[in-house]
Amino acid sequence: MNRNTLLNSLLEHDDQQWDVIVIGGGATGLGIALDAVTRGFRTILLEQSDFSKGTSSRSTKLVHGGVRYLAQGDILLVREALHERGLMLVNAPHLTTNQEFVIPAYTWWDCFLYTVGLKFYDLLAGSLSMGRSYFISASRVRTRLPLINPNRLKGGIVYHDGQFDDSRMAIALADAFVSRGGIALNYFRVTGLLKNEKKRIDGVKALDSGTGAEHIIRGRLVINATGVFADEIHRMDDPHSKPTIRPSQGVHIVLDGDFLQSSSAIMIPKTDDGRVLFAIPWFGKVVTGTTDTPLEKISEEPRALDYEIDFILKTAGRYLTRPPGRADILCIYAGLRPLAADPENPKSTKEISRRHKITISDSGLLSIVGGKWTSYRRMAEETLDRGIKAGLLPSRRCLTRNLKLYDNNQVLRQERLRIYGNRANEIEKLIVQNPGLGEKIVPGLPYTRAEIIWICRNEMPFTLEDMLARRTRALVLDARASIKMAPETARLMADELGFDITWQDEQIKAYNRFIMSYL
């Protein structure tokens, strides 16, 4: 993917009408764009900042049916998500893994309850099951989880779910979309909706943040897939539009792998306040969370609240023999879930289903809100089918169920490079040509100069933040180490993208300001 090439392609077709214009470059928008282009629709996607900048890069890193939603009785949601989980692991094997979980049980009733519940979870997965669940003794729990609190431990339940790299998955979807003829532009903000004489939406006005140029883009169908920002687009359509979502903040902290010392993850189904707690091994670290905090305001860069961080630390400390403290945190990240408020209890969001909602306005704006990463493909399919049913597009069937995002059996010297997809061997070729490019940029993080160069040439990073937060996961793995990585990364980016020393200095300063909310 090359931004200038895609921008030139847009300009060359400036007077043509697109079949589908997708607003939003997160999981939902990218999934819709890929579905649309594979159905043969001329499709363009516009993202106001970077791909997966918002909630889509701040998940728990799970591809799962949702044990929590099973407990809430939303069996249909769980069954659908388990099916999509299976498809995602088959279609993106380079970014997904089969993760073993252990639920430690401290009462015999919990042993019975969770064993039975997870057998039902297995049953709902059907032929796409990732492994059966089963009860294990307390001693076997301690073998799997050597740092689990053994006090009154009765046993545990083992089950399997999927794990993935969320922002790398977003880039894989964008690449698959562009390689099939779509245009995806980051830092391209939609500023207004266009309507014809019948007051039907027939395009958008957009601003290219890179050049400052304004664009008029015409299309048959405009899809609003902007997550927590959906109401902003609704108000462009109808200034009197009522709010349709209520943001709920989910916070995670990242700890060193020494706090878990296990390849198995911990899942606590019900904490003191009814939430779920995960402690999951991820690239040598431990992702721990999450919270569910209703918020009144929506921000592109949400900040974790002190009591959310304290809640995670306190709860994790109850189940681990080595309780983590604030000084042990490598990264703190917060994401906003676009949930609908419960009219009976507007201050609560933790019992609300994650089921998505699709609507069409009187002027033809097709919007989707809610949902979860695991179900992105099905959400995309249902969104386009809804547009077809409404007569906004001709009927064409979905082709993404078996669409492989990775189909290369290449042998790599460094297996971890497989996250870069079918062309990962190009990074190794750069290192063969210049061995110095294979050296780590800083100790403690795995990333090399060759990776930065290859990403610049193929994945459209626009800022230093894009590179350190989402193309690589340096920020999430160790925020302080990513600060040390910033100067050399900025230099490499400037050389590849044609920027000067002033750009480098500005990017480093901006990144140092940005990262403060992650520490």
Side-chain angles (χ1 to χ4, degrees):
M1 297 188 296
N2 181 282
R3 193 174 190 276
N4 289 334
T5 300
L6 293 172
L7 185 57
N8 288 335
S9 182
L10 170 64
L11 296 175
E12 289 171 4
H13 300 89
D14 198 35
D15 58 343
Q16 296 185 22
Q17 184 186 55
W18 296 86
D19 292 321
V20 178
I21 300 172
V22 181
I23 310 174
T28 306
L30 289 165
I32 291 170
L34 180 57
D35 189 316
V37 79
T38 54
R39 296 193 198 208
F41 295 125
R42 295 185 67 251
T43 307
I44 184 169
L45 178 145
L46 308 174
E47 163 56 43
Q48 67 174 345
S49 52
D50 189 29
F51 305 122
S52 76
K53 157 75 173 177
T55 308
S56 296
S57 62
R58 306 169 194 227
S59 73
T60 313
K61 320 305 181 192
L62 294 180
V63 186
H64 63 140
V67 173
R68 162 183 166 182
Y69 309 117
L70 183 62
Q72 294 174 7
D74 200 339
I75 295 174
L76 180 59
L77 173 66
V78 174
R79 186 176 68 177
E80 290 176 354
L82 286 171
H83 179 76
E84 292 301 318
R85 178 193 71 176
L87 295 181
M88 193 166 166
L89 266 76
V90 170
N91 292 334
H94 62 309
L95 294 171
T96 58
T97 58
N98 185 328
Q99 176 63 56
E100 180 183 274
F101 286 78
V102 178
I103 299 178
Y106 290 87
T107 69
W108 290 115
W109 171 248
D110 283 348
C111 291
F112 171 77
L113 181 66
Y114 298 139
T115 299
V116 173
L118 285 165
K119 287 297 181 185
F120 190 47
Y121 196 65
D122 295 343
L123 182 64
L124 290 174
S127 62
L128 292 173
S129 171
M130 299 177 65
R132 67 180 183 88
S133 62
Y134 52 93
F135 174 80
I136 58 175
S137 66
S139 62
R140 292 180 66 191
V141 172
R142 292 195 296 271
T143 299
R144 277 180 162 83
L145 301 171
L147 298 186
I148 195 70
N149 182 356
N151 187 31
R152 299 182 181 178
L153 181 67
K154 300 296 188 289
I157 300 86
V158 176
Y159 76 99
H160 293 258
D161 249 328
Q163 187 186 65
F164 79 133
D165 185 333
D166 47 14
S167 69
R168 291 299 315 171
M169 183 69 183
I171 292 299
L173 292 174
D175 182 68
F177 168 61
V178 170
S179 69
R180 287 164 174 79
I183 291 181
L185 292 169
N186 53 355
Y187 296 94
F188 218 91
R189 184 184 185 88
V190 170
T191 57
L193 301 177
L194 305 175
K195 296 183 180 181
N196 60 23
E197 64 279 0
K198 296 181 180 179
K199 297 185 178 181
R200 301 285 294 179
I201 293 174
D202 67 351
V204 302
K205 291 188 293 185
L207 177 67
D208 181 354
S209 299
T211 64
E214 294 185 336
H215 296 262
I216 299 296
I217 304 172
R218 299 286 178 179
R220 298 176 60 175
L221 173 62
V222 175
I223 300 178
N224 173 15
T226 55
V228 292
F229 300 101
D231 283 335
E232 290 186 14
I233 307 300
H234 290 153
R235 286 190 290 271
M236 291 180 188
D237 180 27
D238 177 5
H240 303 293
S241 174
K242 295 181 180 180
T244 61
I245 59 174
R246 179 182 177 87
S248 168
Q249 179 161 281
V251 169
H252 298 79
I253 64 173
V254 179
L255 303 168
D256 190 81
D258 286 346
F259 281 90
L260 190 60
Q261 296 183 20
S262 175
S263 60
S264 297
I266 299 174
M267 193 273 208
I268 307 300
K270 193 171 185 179
T271 59
D272 289 343
D273 65 350
R275 297 185 177 107
V276 172
L277 183 82
F278 292 100
I280 306 167
W282 192 70
F283 293 118
K285 311 299 181 183
V286 182
V287 175
T288 308
T290 180
T291 60
D292 196 344
T293 307
L295 297 181
E296 295 296 333
K297 294 184 178 180
I298 294 173
S299 168
E300 189 175 18
E301 199 55 57
R303 282 177 171 262
L305 303 174
D306 284 340
Y307 79 84
E308 292 179 297
I309 300 169
D310 292 340
F311 164 78
I312 295 173
L313 290 172
K314 179 182 177 181
T315 307
R318 288 183 56 189
Y319 293 93
L320 298 173
T321 56
R322 181 187 170 191
R326 288 292 288 254
D328 299 310
I329 297 175
L330 299 176
C331 178
I332 305 164
Y333 64 91
L336 300 182
R337 308 180 188 98
L339 304 179
D342 180 355
E344 301 299 324
N345 188 7
K347 294 186 178 181
S348 174
T349 60
K350 63 177 177 288
E351 299 303 327
I352 297 175
S353 171
R354 293 295 296 275
R355 185 170 295 281
H356 53 279
K357 182 178 181 181
I358 302 170
T359 60
I360 302 179
S361 73
D362 292 341
S363 59
L365 177 66
L366 181 57
S367 297
I368 176 168
V369 297
K372 50 189 282 189
W373 240 121
T374 305
S375 301
Y376 85 90
R377 192 211 63 82
R378 185 184 182 97
M379 291 160 58
E381 179 180 356
E382 292 182 4
T383 300
L384 285 165
D385 285 350
R386 180 71 177 274
I388 290 170
K389 186 177 180 180
L392 301 173
L393 291 171
S395 180
R396 294 174 186 171
R397 68 185 183 91
C398 175
L399 300 175
T400 58
R401 286 182 181 84
N402 301 308
L403 182 66
K404 300 292 188 293
L405 299 177
Y406 182 80
D407 55 6
N408 195 323
N409 293 321
Q410 60 190 325
V411 177
L412 297 172
R413 293 184 180 89
Q414 298 183 59
E415 184 62 26
R416 71 170 193 84
L417 295 180
R418 201 170 298 278
I419 61 172
Y420 296 105
N422 290 323
R423 296 166 58 197
N425 62 324
E426 294 177 3
I427 299 174
E428 293 197 331
K429 289 179 181 178
L430 288 174
I431 296 172
V432 170
Q433 294 166 3
N434 184 349
L437 297 180
E439 298 175 1
K440 293 181 181 179
I441 297 175
V442 295
L445 289 172
Y447 305 109
T448 64
R449 291 171 175 81
E451 288 166 77
I452 304 302
I453 292 171
W454 185 88
I455 289 169
C456 286
R457 295 174 182 177
N458 295 281
E459 295 187 344
M460 293 172 57
F462 197 74
T463 69
L464 182 59
E465 177 200 328
D466 297 343
M467 182 67 77
L468 295 177
R470 290 173 291 278
R471 302 304 186 278
T472 71
R473 307 317 305 271
L475 167 66
V476 178
L477 294 176
D478 191 331
R480 292 176 183 84
S482 76
I483 296 174
K484 297 177 182 178
M485 185 175 164
E488 177 63 5
T489 304
R491 185 192 68 79
L492 291 166
M493 291 181 68
D495 288 347
E496 283 295 319
L497 302 177
F499 295 122
D500 58 18
I501 188 67
T502 300
W503 180 88
Q504 295 180 50
D505 291 341
E506 290 174 348
Q507 287 294 308
I508 293 169
K509 290 177 182 177
Y511 186 73
N512 287 339
R513 291 192 299 270
F514 158 79
I515 205 172
M516 295 311 296
S517 62
Y518 290 79
L519 294 171

